[in-house]
Amino acid sequence: MASYTVKSLGKSTDYMTIVRELDDGYVVRIVRDKDGYNDITTDYISKTLFDSCIRTGYLTKMETPADREAVNA
C-alpha cells in the first residue's frame, strides 16, 4: 500500500501507511519517531480528511523503489 510522510516539527521523520481502504475512508498505520523509539498506532481516517491533508501538504506521498524504476526505465 501507499506510504506518506507526515509533516511534523523538528527533525522527526513520521510517516503513515494505508493498510486497508474502506468505502468511506482508510485504516492507516502511523509511525512517529519519539526520541529514538517508534510510536506505532493503527487508526481510521476518512477520505475527506485524507484528501484535505494531501491538499494542504500535511501528507506527502513517499516515492517507492518501484516508482523510481518506472521513472528510470
Side-chain angles (χ1 to χ4, degrees):
M1 285 287 175
S3 293
Y4 299 83
T5 57
V6 179
K7 191 173 189 178
S8 57
L9 298 174
K11 297 179 182 178
S12 66
T13 52
D14 303 340
Y15 63 92
M16 179 185 84
T17 301
I18 297 175
V19 176
R20 186 169 39 142
E21 184 174 354
L22 305 171
D23 290 337
D24 60 344
Y26 304 97
V27 175
V28 297
R29 179 172 295 117
I30 302 168
V31 179
R32 294 189 178 274
D33 181 2
K34 299 280 188 173
D35 296 323
Y37 74 92
N38 287 336
D39 177 30
I40 302 171
T41 58
T42 301
D43 211 338
Y44 168 85
I45 184 171
S46 70
K47 287 186 178 184
T48 304
L49 179 56
F50 178 81
D51 291 342
S52 178
C53 290
I54 293 292
R55 265 193 326 276
T56 61
Y58 185 75
L59 294 174
T60 305
K61 188 168 185 178
M62 296 173 63
E63 183 178 319
T64 64
D67 291 340
R68 276 186 248 127
E69 289 175 13
V71 169
N72 295 328

Coordinates of all heavy atoms in Angstrom, one line a residue:
M1 N 0.8 -1.2 0.0 CA 0.0 0.0 0.0 C 0.9 1.3 0.0 O 2.1 1.2 0.2 CB -0.9 0.0 1.2 CG -2.0 -0.9 1.2 SD -3.2 -0.3 0.1 CE -4.4 -1.5 0.0
A2 N 0.3 2.4 -0.2 CA 1.0 3.7 -0.3 C 1.4 4.2 1.0 O 0.7 4.0 2.0 CB 0.1 4.7 -1.0
S3 N 2.6 4.8 1.1 CA 3.1 5.4 2.3 C 3.2 6.9 2.1 O 3.5 7.4 1.0 CB 4.4 4.8 2.7 OG 4.2 3.5 3.1
Y4 N 3.1 7.7 3.2 CA 3.1 9.1 3.1 C 3.9 9.7 4.3 O 3.8 9.1 5.4 CB 1.7 9.7 3.2 CG 0.8 9.3 2.1 CD1 0.1 8.1 2.1 CD2 0.7 10.1 1.0 CE1 -0.6 7.7 1.0 CE2 -0.1 9.7 -0.1 CZ -0.8 8.5 -0.1 OH -1.6 8.1 -1.1
T5 N 4.7 10.7 4.1 CA 5.4 11.4 5.2 C 4.4 12.3 5.8 O 3.5 12.9 5.1 CB 6.6 12.2 4.7 OG1 6.3 13.1 3.7 CG2 7.7 11.2 4.2
V6 N 4.5 12.5 7.1 CA 3.6 13.3 7.9 C 4.4 14.6 8.3 O 5.5 14.5 8.9 CB 3.1 12.6 9.1 CG1 2.2 13.6 9.9 CG2 2.3 11.3 8.8
K7 N 3.9 15.7 7.9 CA 4.5 17.0 8.3 C 4.6 17.1 9.8 O 3.6 16.9 10.5 CB 3.8 18.2 7.7 CG 4.5 19.5 7.8 CD 3.7 20.5 7.1 CE 4.5 21.8 7.0 NZ 3.8 22.8 6.2
S8 N 5.8 17.3 10.3 CA 6.0 17.4 11.8 C 7.0 18.4 12.1 O 7.7 18.9 11.3 CB 6.4 16.0 12.3 OG 7.6 15.5 11.7
L9 N 7.1 18.7 13.4 CA 8.0 19.7 13.9 C 9.4 19.0 14.1 O 9.5 17.9 14.5 CB 7.5 20.3 15.2 CG 6.2 21.1 15.1 CD1 5.7 21.5 16.5 CD2 6.3 22.3 14.2
G10 N 10.4 19.8 14.0 CA 11.8 19.3 14.3 C 12.3 18.4 13.2 O 11.9 18.4 12.1
K11 N 13.2 17.4 13.7 CA 13.8 16.5 12.8 C 13.2 15.2 12.7 O 13.7 14.2 12.1 CB 15.3 16.3 13.2 CG 16.1 17.6 13.1 CD 17.5 17.4 13.6 CE 18.3 18.7 13.6 NZ 19.7 18.4 14.1
S12 N 12.0 15.0 13.4 CA 11.4 13.7 13.4 C 10.9 13.3 12.0 O 10.5 14.2 11.2 CB 10.3 13.6 14.4 OG 9.2 14.4 14.0
T13 N 11.0 12.0 11.7 CA 10.5 11.5 10.4 C 9.3 10.6 10.7 O 9.5 9.4 10.9 CB 11.6 10.7 9.7 OG1 12.1 9.8 10.6 CG2 12.7 11.7 9.3
D14 N 8.1 11.2 10.7 CA 6.9 10.5 10.9 C 6.3 10.1 9.6 O 6.4 10.8 8.6 CB 5.9 11.3 11.7 CG 6.5 11.8 13.0 OD1 7.4 11.2 13.5 OD2 5.9 12.8 13.5
Y15 N 5.7 8.9 9.5 CA 5.1 8.5 8.3 C 3.8 7.7 8.5 O 3.6 7.2 9.6 CB 6.0 7.8 7.3 CG 6.6 6.5 7.9 CD1 5.9 5.3 7.6 CD2 7.7 6.4 8.6 CE1 6.4 4.1 8.0 CE2 8.2 5.2 9.1 CZ 7.6 4.1 8.8 OH 8.0 2.9 9.3
M16 N 3.0 7.6 7.5 CA 1.7 6.9 7.5 C 1.6 6.0 6.4 O 2.0 6.3 5.2 CB 0.6 7.9 7.5 CG -0.8 7.3 7.6 SD -2.1 8.5 7.4 CE -2.1 8.7 5.6
T17 N 1.1 4.8 6.6 CA 0.9 3.8 5.5 C -0.5 3.4 5.5 O -1.1 3.1 6.6 CB 1.8 2.5 5.8 OG1 3.2 2.9 5.8 CG2 1.6 1.5 4.6
I18 N -1.1 3.3 4.3 CA -2.5 2.9 4.2 C -2.5 1.4 4.3 O -1.8 0.7 3.5 CB -3.2 3.4 2.9 CG1 -3.2 4.9 2.9 CG2 -4.5 2.7 2.7 CD1 -3.7 5.5 1.6
V19 N -3.2 0.8 5.2 CA -3.3 -0.6 5.5 C -4.4 -1.2 4.7 O -4.3 -2.3 4.1 CB -3.4 -1.0 7.0 CG1 -3.6 -2.4 7.2 CG2 -2.2 -0.4 7.7
R20 N -5.6 -0.5 4.7 CA -6.8 -1.0 4.0 C -7.7 0.1 3.7 O -7.8 1.1 4.4 CB -7.5 -2.0 5.0 CG -8.7 -2.6 4.4 CD -9.3 -3.7 5.2 NE -9.2 -3.4 6.6 CZ -10.2 -3.7 7.5 NH1 -11.2 -4.4 7.1 NH2 -10.1 -3.4 8.8
E21 N -8.3 0.0 2.5 CA -9.3 1.0 2.0 C -10.7 0.6 2.3 O -11.0 -0.6 2.1 CB -9.1 1.3 0.5 CG -10.0 2.4 0.0 CD -9.8 2.8 -1.4 OE1 -8.8 2.3 -2.0 OE2 -10.5 3.6 -1.9
L22 N -11.5 1.4 2.9 CA -12.9 1.2 3.2 C -13.7 2.1 2.3 O -13.2 2.9 1.6 CB -13.2 1.5 4.7 CG -12.3 0.7 5.7 CD1 -12.6 1.3 7.1 CD2 -12.6 -0.7 5.6
D23 N -15.0 1.9 2.3 CA -15.9 2.7 1.5 C -15.8 4.2 1.8 O -15.8 5.0 0.9 CB -17.4 2.3 1.7 CG -17.7 1.0 1.1 OD1 -17.0 0.5 0.2 OD2 -18.7 0.3 1.5
D24 N -15.7 4.6 3.0 CA -15.6 6.0 3.4 C -14.3 6.5 4.0 O -14.2 7.6 4.5 CB -16.8 6.3 4.4 CG -16.6 5.4 5.7 OD1 -15.8 4.4 5.7 OD2 -17.3 5.7 6.7
G25 N -13.3 5.6 3.9 CA -12.0 6.1 4.5 C -10.9 5.0 4.4 O -11.0 4.1 3.6
Y26 N -9.9 5.1 5.3 CA -8.8 4.2 5.3 C -8.4 3.8 6.7 O -8.5 4.6 7.6 CB -7.6 4.9 4.7 CG -7.8 5.5 3.3 CD1 -8.1 6.8 3.1 CD2 -7.7 4.7 2.2 CE1 -8.3 7.3 1.8 CE2 -7.9 5.2 0.9 CZ -8.2 6.5 0.7 OH -8.4 7.0 -0.5
V27 N -7.9 2.6 6.8 CA -7.3 2.1 8.0 C -5.8 2.4 7.8 O -5.2 2.0 6.7 CB -7.5 0.6 8.3 CG1 -6.7 0.2 9.5 CG2 -9.0 0.4 8.5
V28 N -5.1 3.1 8.7 CA -3.8 3.6 8.5 C -2.9 3.2 9.7 O -3.4 3.1 10.8 CB -3.6 5.1 8.2 CG1 -4.4 5.5 7.0 CG2 -4.2 5.9 9.4
R29 N -1.6 2.9 9.4 CA -0.6 2.7 10.4 C 0.3 4.0 10.4 O 0.8 4.3 9.4 CB 0.2 1.5 10.2 CG 1.3 1.2 11.2 CD 2.0 -0.1 11.1 NE 1.0 -1.2 11.3 CZ 0.6 -2.1 10.4 NH1 1.2 -2.0 9.2 NH2 -0.3 -3.0 10.7
I30 N 0.4 4.6 11.6 CA 1.2 5.8 11.7 C 2.4 5.5 12.6 O 2.2 4.9 13.7 CB 0.3 6.9 12.4 CG1 -0.9 7.2 11.5 CG2 1.2 8.2 12.6 CD1 -1.9 8.1 12.2
V31 N 3.6 5.8 12.1 CA 4.8 5.6 12.8 C 5.4 7.0 13.1 O 5.7 7.7 12.2 CB 5.8 4.7 12.0 CG1 7.1 4.5 12.8 CG2 5.2 3.4 11.7
R32 N 5.6 7.3 14.4 CA 6.2 8.5 14.9 C 7.5 8.2 15.6 O 7.5 7.4 16.4 CB 5.2 9.3 15.8 CG 4.0 9.7 15.1 CD 3.1 10.7 16.0 NE 2.0 11.1 15.3 CZ 1.9 12.2 14.5 NH1 3.0 12.9 14.2 NH2 0.8 12.6 13.9
D33 N 8.5 9.0 15.3 CA 9.8 8.9 16.0 C 9.7 9.7 17.2 O 9.6 10.9 17.2 CB 10.9 9.5 15.0 CG 12.3 9.3 15.7 OD1 12.4 8.8 16.8 OD2 13.2 9.8 15.0
K34 N 9.8 9.0 18.4 CA 9.7 9.7 19.7 C 11.0 9.5 20.4 O 11.3 8.6 21.1 CB 8.6 9.1 20.5 CG 7.2 9.2 20.0 CD 6.7 10.6 20.2 CE 5.2 10.6 19.8 NZ 4.6 11.8 20.1
D35 N 12.0 10.5 20.2 CA 13.3 10.5 20.9 C 14.0 9.1 20.7 O 14.5 8.6 21.7 CB 13.1 10.8 22.3 CG 12.6 12.3 22.5 OD1 13.0 13.1 21.7 OD2 11.8 12.5 23.4
G36 N 14.0 8.6 19.5 CA 14.8 7.4 19.3 C 14.0 6.1 19.3 O 14.6 5.0 19.0
Y37 N 12.7 6.1 19.6 CA 11.9 4.9 19.5 C 10.7 5.2 18.7 O 10.3 6.3 18.6 CB 11.6 4.3 20.9 CG 10.5 5.1 21.7 CD1 9.2 4.7 21.6 CD2 10.8 6.1 22.5 CE1 8.2 5.4 22.2 CE2 9.9 6.8 23.2 CZ 8.6 6.5 23.0 OH 7.6 7.2 23.7
N38 N 10.1 4.2 18.1 CA 9.0 4.4 17.2 C 7.7 4.2 18.0 O 7.5 3.1 18.7 CB 9.0 3.4 16.1 CG 10.0 3.8 15.0 OD1 10.4 4.9 14.9 ND2 10.5 2.8 14.3
D39 N 6.8 5.1 17.9 CA 5.4 5.0 18.5 C 4.5 4.6 17.3 O 4.3 5.4 16.4 CB 5.0 6.3 19.1 CG 3.6 6.3 19.6 OD1 3.1 5.3 20.0 OD2 3.0 7.4 19.6
I40 N 4.0 3.4 17.3 CA 3.2 2.9 16.2 C 1.8 2.8 16.6 O 1.5 2.2 17.6 CB 3.7 1.5 15.7 CG1 5.2 1.7 15.3 CG2 2.9 1.0 14.5 CD1 5.9 0.3 15.0
T41 N 0.9 3.4 15.8 CA -0.6 3.3 16.1 C -1.3 3.0 14.8 O -0.8 3.3 13.7 CB -1.1 4.7 16.6 OG1 -0.9 5.7 15.7 CG2 -0.5 5.1 17.9
T42 N -2.4 2.3 14.9 CA -3.3 2.0 13.8 C -4.6 2.7 14.1 O -5.1 2.7 15.2 CB -3.5 0.4 13.7 OG1 -2.3 -0.2 13.6 CG2 -4.4 0.1 12.5
D43 N -5.1 3.4 13.1 CA -6.2 4.3 13.2 C -7.0 4.3 11.9 O -6.7 3.7 10.9 CB -5.8 5.7 13.6 CG -6.8 6.4 14.5 OD1 -8.0 6.0 14.5 OD2 -6.4 7.3 15.2
Y44 N -8.1 5.1 12.0 CA -9.0 5.3 10.8 C -8.9 6.8 10.4 O -8.9 7.7 11.3 CB -10.4 4.9 11.2 CG -11.5 5.4 10.2 CD1 -11.7 4.6 9.1 CD2 -12.1 6.6 10.3 CE1 -12.7 5.1 8.1 CE2 -13.0 7.1 9.4 CZ -13.3 6.3 8.3 OH -14.2 6.7 7.4
I45 N -8.9 7.0 9.1 CA -9.0 8.4 8.6 C -10.0 8.4 7.5 O -10.0 7.6 6.6 CB -7.6 8.9 8.2 CG1 -7.7 10.4 7.7 CG2 -7.0 8.1 7.1 CD1 -6.3 11.0 7.5
S46 N -10.9 9.4 7.5 CA -12.0 9.5 6.5 C -11.3 10.0 5.2 O -10.2 10.6 5.2 CB -13.1 10.5 6.9 OG -12.5 11.8 6.9
K47 N -12.0 9.7 4.1 CA -11.4 10.1 2.8 C -11.4 11.6 2.6 O -10.5 12.2 2.0 CB -12.2 9.5 1.6 CG -12.0 8.0 1.5 CD -12.6 7.4 0.3 CE -12.3 5.9 0.1 NZ -12.8 5.3 -1.1
T48 N -12.4 12.2 3.2 CA -12.5 13.7 3.2 C -11.3 14.3 3.9 O -10.6 15.2 3.4 CB -13.8 14.2 3.8 OG1 -14.9 13.6 3.2 CG2 -13.9 15.7 3.8
L49 N -11.0 13.8 5.1 CA -9.8 14.3 5.9 C -8.5 14.0 5.2 O -7.6 14.8 5.1 CB -9.8 13.7 7.3 CG -8.6 14.2 8.2 CD1 -8.6 15.7 8.3 CD2 -8.8 13.5 9.6
F50 N -8.4 12.8 4.6 CA -7.2 12.4 3.9 C -7.0 13.3 2.7 O -5.8 13.8 2.5 CB -7.3 10.9 3.4 CG -6.2 10.5 2.6 CD1 -5.0 10.0 3.2 CD2 -6.2 10.5 1.2 CE1 -3.9 9.6 2.5 CE2 -5.1 10.0 0.5 CZ -4.0 9.6 1.1
D51 N -8.0 13.6 1.9 CA -7.8 14.5 0.8 C -7.4 15.9 1.2 O -6.6 16.5 0.5 CB -9.2 14.5 0.0 CG -9.5 13.2 -0.7 OD1 -8.5 12.4 -0.9 OD2 -10.6 13.0 -1.1
S52 N -8.0 16.4 2.3 CA -7.6 17.7 2.8 C -6.2 17.7 3.2 O -5.5 18.7 3.0 CB -8.5 18.0 4.0 OG -8.2 19.2 4.6
C53 N -5.7 16.6 3.9 CA -4.3 16.6 4.3 C -3.3 16.6 3.1 O -2.3 17.2 3.2 CB -4.0 15.3 5.2 SG -4.8 15.4 6.8
I54 N -3.7 15.9 2.0 CA -2.9 15.9 0.8 C -2.9 17.3 0.2 O -1.8 17.8 -0.2 CB -3.5 14.9 -0.2 CG1 -3.3 13.5 0.3 CG2 -2.8 15.1 -1.6 CD1 -1.9 13.0 0.4
R55 N -4.0 18.0 0.1 CA -4.1 19.3 -0.5 C -3.3 20.3 0.3 O -2.7 21.2 -0.3 CB -5.6 19.8 -0.5 CG -6.3 19.5 -1.8 CD -7.6 20.3 -1.9 NE -8.3 20.5 -0.7 CZ -9.2 19.6 -0.1 NH1 -9.4 18.4 -0.7 NH2 -9.8 19.8 1.0
T56 N -3.3 20.2 1.6 CA -2.6 21.2 2.4 C -1.1 20.9 2.6 O -0.4 21.7 3.2 CB -3.2 21.3 3.8 OG1 -3.2 20.1 4.5 CG2 -4.7 21.8 3.7
G57 N -0.7 19.7 2.2 CA 0.7 19.4 2.3 C 1.1 18.7 3.6 O 2.3 18.5 3.9
Y58 N 0.1 18.4 4.5 CA 0.3 17.8 5.7 C 0.8 16.3 5.5 O 1.7 15.8 6.2 CB -0.9 17.8 6.6 CG -0.7 17.2 8.0 CD1 0.0 17.9 9.0 CD2 -1.2 15.9 8.3 CE1 0.2 17.3 10.2 CE2 -1.0 15.4 9.5 CZ -0.3 16.1 10.5 OH -0.1 15.5 11.7
L59 N 0.3 15.7 4.4 CA 0.8 14.4 4.0 C 1.4 14.5 2.6 O 0.8 15.2 1.7 CB -0.4 13.4 3.9 CG -1.1 13.0 5.2 CD1 -2.3 12.1 4.9 CD2 -0.1 12.3 6.1
T60 N 2.5 13.9 2.4 CA 3.2 13.9 1.1 C 3.5 12.4 0.7 O 4.1 11.7 1.5 CB 4.5 14.7 1.1 OG1 4.2 16.0 1.6 CG2 5.2 14.8 -0.2
K61 N 3.1 12.0 -0.5 CA 3.4 10.6 -0.9 C 4.9 10.3 -1.0 O 5.6 11.1 -1.6 CB 2.7 10.3 -2.2 CG 2.7 8.8 -2.6 CD 1.8 8.5 -3.7 CE 1.8 7.0 -3.9 NZ 0.9 6.6 -4.9
M62 N 5.3 9.2 -0.4 CA 6.7 8.8 -0.5 C 6.9 8.1 -1.8 O 6.1 7.3 -2.3 CB 7.0 7.9 0.7 CG 6.8 8.5 2.1 SD 7.0 7.4 3.5 CE 8.7 6.8 3.3
E63 N 8.1 8.2 -2.3 CA 8.5 7.5 -3.5 C 8.9 6.1 -3.1 O 9.7 6.0 -2.2 CB 9.6 8.3 -4.2 CG 10.1 7.7 -5.5 CD 11.2 8.5 -6.1 OE1 11.1 9.7 -6.1 OE2 12.1 7.9 -6.6
T64 N 8.5 5.1 -3.8 CA 8.8 3.8 -3.6 C 9.9 3.3 -4.6 O 10.0 3.9 -5.6 CB 7.6 2.8 -3.6 OG1 7.2 2.8 -5.0 CG2 6.5 3.2 -2.7
P65 N 10.7 2.3 -4.3 CA 11.6 1.8 -5.2 C 11.0 1.4 -6.6 O 11.6 1.7 -7.6 CB 12.2 0.5 -4.6 CG 12.0 0.7 -3.1 CD 10.7 1.5 -3.0
A66 N 9.8 0.9 -6.6 CA 9.1 0.6 -7.9 C 8.8 1.9 -8.7 O 8.9 1.9 -9.9 CB 7.8 -0.1 -7.6
D67 N 8.5 3.0 -8.0 CA 8.2 4.3 -8.6 C 9.5 4.7 -9.3 O 9.5 5.2 -10.4 CB 7.7 5.3 -7.6 CG 6.3 5.0 -7.1 OD1 5.6 4.3 -7.8 OD2 6.0 5.6 -6.0
R68 N 10.6 4.6 -8.6 CA 11.9 5.1 -9.1 C 12.3 4.3 -10.4 O 12.8 4.8 -11.3 CB 13.0 4.9 -8.1 CG 13.1 6.1 -7.2 CD 14.2 6.0 -6.2 NE 13.7 5.8 -4.9 CZ 14.0 4.9 -4.1 NH1 14.9 4.0 -4.4 NH2 13.4 4.8 -2.9
E69 N 12.1 2.9 -10.4 CA 12.4 2.1 -11.5 C 11.6 2.5 -12.7 O 12.1 2.5 -13.8 CB 12.2 0.6 -11.2 CG 13.2 0.1 -10.2 CD 12.9 -1.3 -9.8 OE1 12.1 -2.0 -10.4 OE2 13.6 -1.8 -8.8
A70 N 10.3 2.8 -12.5 CA 9.4 3.2 -13.6 C 9.9 4.5 -14.3 O 9.8 4.6 -15.5 CB 8.0 3.3 -13.1
V71 N 10.3 5.4 -13.4 CA 10.8 6.7 -13.9 C 12.1 6.5 -14.7 O 12.3 7.2 -15.8 CB 11.0 7.7 -12.8 CG1 11.7 9.0 -13.2 CG2 9.6 8.1 -12.2
N72 N 13.0 5.7 -14.2 CA 14.3 5.5 -14.9 C 14.2 4.5 -16.1 O 15.2 4.4 -16.8 CB 15.3 4.9 -13.8 CG 15.6 5.9 -12.7 OD1 15.6 7.1 -13.0 ND2 15.9 5.4 -11.5
A73 N 13.1 3.9 -16.3 CA 13.0 2.9 -17.4 C 12.9 3.6 -18.8 O 12.6 4.7 -18.9 CB 11.8 2.0 -17.2

